[in-house]
Amino acid sequence: MAHESGPGFRRHVNTACSLAFALMNSPECAHASSASATRAACGRLVNAAVAAVGPDLDPGGKDFARFAALVSAIQTGGESGAGSYSDTQDGDAGCQLEAALFLQQLALFAPQTAPPDRLVRRLRPYLSAKTPGLRRVAAATLRHVCERDAGAVLRCSADAVGSDVGGYGTSHGGGLEADLLALLDGYGDADAKTASDATRALWLLTRANALDDPAKAAKRLAAVALHAPGQDWGGNEVDVTAAEDAGSGERDEGEGDENAERKQKFQELSGRSAPKLSTRVVAAAMMSAIPKLVSNHPAHLDLALARSSPGNKWLVGVAHAIVDLGYKLATCSVESLRPRGLAMLTNLVCVLGESKDPDVPGSSLLEQFQAQVLSALRAAVPDPTTNSFQDSPDDPSTPPNPIADPACIVEGMALAGEALTNNRVTGGDVGAVRRIVDFIARPAVAWLGRKENGDGSGMSKQTESTRSRLFSALRDESECAEGITCRVRIATLRACAVAAVHAPEALFAKFPEGVSVSLGSKWLLLTTRSPSLVGADLVTRSAVAKDLARAAGPTLEALASTSLRKSSGTEDGG
């Protein structure tokens, strides 16, 4: 009735509170088997009253004091204190759910009564609750509070890390971000709404943290994305020996409280289990976006301005840490994480592409990271003509017919193109330019060279076969989904277009004449979005449409550049 009445129920708030107090203090509620259900019903009544009062709820007023006292009694079981937090019992879980909903109501209707520090401390334990309703309310409320002020949430959650004030601390490391990732890790597949709210809150927290300290934001996520045995989700070393010693008490009998304390100590020391691959990929994807998240702040992009600005946590000042983490992702042993590492490096090069090094006049800030970029590209798509793939029967770990990961090709091509643009990373180094162009040309020759007279590049048949297999996703639509092949081809054509503008001699030296002609025709098909290159049903897909938009400018510039080059060659010949 209270919910249906809406704001009209406000005039009955005092009566409802008195009724709830009477029920909570009744002997039946203290001793009956249905006591928890009665307390939960009182909680629903209080939440309806809070919704009826709405924004007019005064944190210093009588109504708020009564609501808070009632919810505290509902949560703890009244004056006796029975029924403290344990979501393993249905009745207590219902009471805890109403207490969590009370916090949600305050966040929505009366935010002045619920500052972020109070909300975060009380909601964090619900993220790991066994009851779906508690997790759902906690994730939704945290998302709302983060949308309101993610910076305040970040500050108060950082203060609470490692603390146990009021039972709301965490011993697993990593802060609130790790708690939300653990929620996705354990229950993300079971509840799409909860997973969506948790992911949204994570993005908001990551952005707020990145604006304050990009390296810190990346390291927090890297502790999960690059999780190593013997570490918690905050990247801290776990004393495994101490954990095992504490856990040994589980085999002892008759020790009572001492044995229970050992069990609790074992859980605190051992922390969470290793994150799932899907959770690591989510963390890596958020890491890769950090450079973009701070791209609108001038001090993050200009080293001279950053040095004159207060603080020392600007992106240009911690770029080495971002490059280091991106490189670790791009070269790690987990194939699904490598594209995110390449994307992280690409975003950094794109964001800091125009940044100059004030200590070296005329030099780009990114030139100092040339070695990491080249190494990341080499690891993304190994060259079968080098020692990267040696078909050795004595080495079972070496695949006889390696196939390049399409996602690595797409992200690698993007990184190569950004690195070549205006010599951002190469600094005009001929050797570096040649290696980047070689990375771009290999898949293009494998794709376009098959239509010409053989390979035309002088490679042996074995090497040609291996390279053909390596780029099979680019050559043959039957090897993978049509959309994947389309994205790989667009990325390759865009990278070739960038190379044709910024390093034309190096690019066309890699191509036989027939491949060069074929490349030009492909650029024309790309600019017109011809169905022969991009299927009509693929153009409207968001990922493909974004790829086409990014490729349009470089492709038109390449067509104009090659036309001028041909005209100049004709005039010289005449």
Side-chain angles (χ1 to χ4, degrees):
M1 183 185 72
H3 282 294
E4 292 296 330
S5 299
F9 186 71
R10 181 171 181 176
R11 61 178 179 271
H12 303 294
V13 165
N14 291 331
T15 303
C17 285
S18 299
L19 176 60
F21 271 118
L23 286 171
M24 290 292 298
N25 293 324
S26 65
E28 291 79 4
C29 188
H31 304 291
S33 58
S34 60
S36 294
T38 303
R39 286 172 20 231
C42 291
R44 288 192 290 273
L45 186 60
V46 170
N47 285 325
V50 172
V53 177
D56 295 332
L57 188 62
D58 181 9
K62 179 181 177 181
D63 285 343
F64 178 75
R66 297 180 76 186
F67 292 152
L70 273 170
V71 171
S72 178
I74 291 166
Q75 189 174 17
T76 60
E79 295 179 0
S80 65
S84 59
Y85 176 62
S86 173
D87 66 338
T88 58
Q89 303 176 18
D90 292 341
D92 283 341
C95 295
Q96 297 300 325
L97 177 60
E98 294 306 322
L101 286 170
F102 175 70
L103 295 175
Q104 186 181 58
Q105 295 274 64
L106 295 183
L108 291 173
F109 298 113
Q112 71 277 12
T113 66
D117 61 332
R118 182 181 302 175
L119 283 173
V120 172
R121 283 190 300 109
R122 295 186 178 183
L123 289 170
R124 282 183 73 171
Y126 295 144
L127 293 173
S128 58
K130 295 181 176 64
T131 306
L134 285 172
R135 300 193 300 268
R136 190 176 302 118
V137 171
T141 307
L142 284 172
R143 185 214 70 204
H144 175 77
V145 178
C146 287
E147 288 175 342
R148 194 172 67 204
D149 190 352
V153 173
L154 191 68
R155 289 190 293 273
C156 65
S157 64
D159 293 340
V161 172
S163 67
D164 197 29
V165 179
Y168 296 113
T170 177
S171 60
H172 300 306
L176 183 56
E177 296 98 322
D179 291 347
L180 290 166
L181 284 168
L183 172 61
L184 295 176
D185 191 75
Y187 307 102
D189 296 336
D191 189 339
K193 179 63 170 63
T194 301
S196 176
D197 288 336
T199 303
R200 172 63 175 162
L202 264 171
W203 276 109
L204 293 169
L205 286 173
T206 299
R207 183 179 185 277
N209 203 3
L211 288 171
D212 183 59
D213 187 347
K216 180 181 177 181
K219 288 175 181 177
R220 281 198 173 187
L221 294 168
V224 177
L226 296 170
H227 185 270
Q231 293 183 348
D232 62 16
W233 285 36
N236 305 308
E237 294 293 334
V238 176
D239 190 344
V240 179
T241 303
E244 291 175 350
D245 292 342
S248 63
E250 297 179 14
R251 297 189 297 271
D252 300 332
E253 300 294 340
E255 294 186 5
D257 294 339
E258 183 179 353
N259 190 41
E261 290 177 2
R262 287 183 178 180
K263 290 181 179 180
Q264 182 179 3
K265 185 66 175 177
F266 175 77
Q267 291 177 348
E268 291 178 355
L269 289 172
S270 58
R272 302 182 176 102
S273 59
K276 298 176 183 176
L277 177 57
S278 59
T279 307
R280 297 176 66 182
V281 170
V282 170
M286 292 182 177
M287 285 177 62
S288 70
I290 285 176
K292 291 284 190 182
L293 295 177
V294 302
S295 60
N296 291 330
H297 198 300
H300 277 295
L301 314 180
D302 188 324
L303 185 56
L305 179 60
R307 288 174 175 175
S308 63
S309 301
N312 59 350
K313 304 298 184 182
W314 306 107
L315 180 64
V316 288
V318 297
H320 61 282
I322 303 297
V323 170
D324 180 60
L325 292 174
Y327 177 75
K328 287 180 179 179
L329 277 176
T331 59
C332 72
S333 59
V334 183
E335 190 175 61
S336 301
L337 298 179
R338 293 177 199 159
R340 277 73 187 180
L342 293 167
M344 188 173 183
L345 293 174
T346 302
N347 289 335
L348 183 70
V349 173
C350 183
V351 169
L352 298 183
E354 305 305 321
S355 299
K356 302 299 180 182
D357 189 343
D359 300 325
V360 184
S363 176
S364 169
L365 182 69
L366 295 172
E367 289 180 29
Q368 59 187 304
F369 306 119
Q370 182 186 116
Q372 291 94 323
V373 170
L374 293 176
S375 183
L377 289 175
R378 184 170 61 249
V381 184
D383 189 346
T385 63
T386 67
N387 293 331
S388 300
F389 286 112
Q390 290 183 342
D391 299 336
S392 173
D394 299 327
D395 185 5
S397 64
T398 302
N401 288 310
I403 300 177
D405 178 17
C408 282
I409 298 178
V410 171
E411 298 298 343
M413 288 295 173
L415 176 58
E418 292 296 339
L420 277 182
T421 302
N422 297 328
N423 292 322
R424 290 170 171 174
V425 174
T426 61
D429 185 334
V430 176
V433 171
R434 179 182 54 77
R435 291 169 65 182
I436 294 177
V437 169
D438 183 65
F439 175 86
I440 295 173
R442 280 190 290 129
V445 171
W447 170 30
L448 302 175
R450 64 176 178 170
K451 297 179 180 179
E452 308 304 326
N453 298 326
D455 170 57
S457 61
M459 292 188 296
S460 66
K461 290 185 177 180
Q462 181 180 2
T463 301
E464 180 186 354
S465 175
T466 305
R467 178 171 288 185
S468 175
R469 181 65 175 163
L470 181 68
F471 298 111
S472 57
L474 187 67
R475 291 169 52 97
D476 189 357
E477 294 86 344
S478 63
E479 287 287 341
C480 55
E482 182 184 5
I484 296 175
T485 299
C486 178
R487 294 198 64 196
V488 174
R489 289 178 174 179
I490 293 173
T492 301
L493 290 174
R494 180 187 183 277
C496 287
V498 173
V501 173
H502 296 278
E505 292 80 7
L507 178 70
F508 290 108
K510 297 286 183 180
F511 291 160
E513 181 61 29
V515 173
S516 300
V517 174
S518 181
L519 180 62
S521 64
K522 293 294 184 184
W523 283 338
L524 287 172
L525 294 176
L526 182 61
T527 56
T528 59
R529 301 190 178 187
S530 171
S532 62
L533 182 65
V534 184
D537 58 327
L538 297 176
V539 175
T540 56
R541 296 186 186 180
S542 59
V544 176
K546 189 178 298 184
D547 290 343
L548 288 170
R550 292 183 68 238
T555 302
L556 290 172
E557 194 175 357
L559 286 170
S561 176
T562 52
S563 297
L564 290 174
R565 195 162 167 266
K566 289 179 180 179
S567 299
S568 176
T570 302
E571 292 175 1
D572 293 342

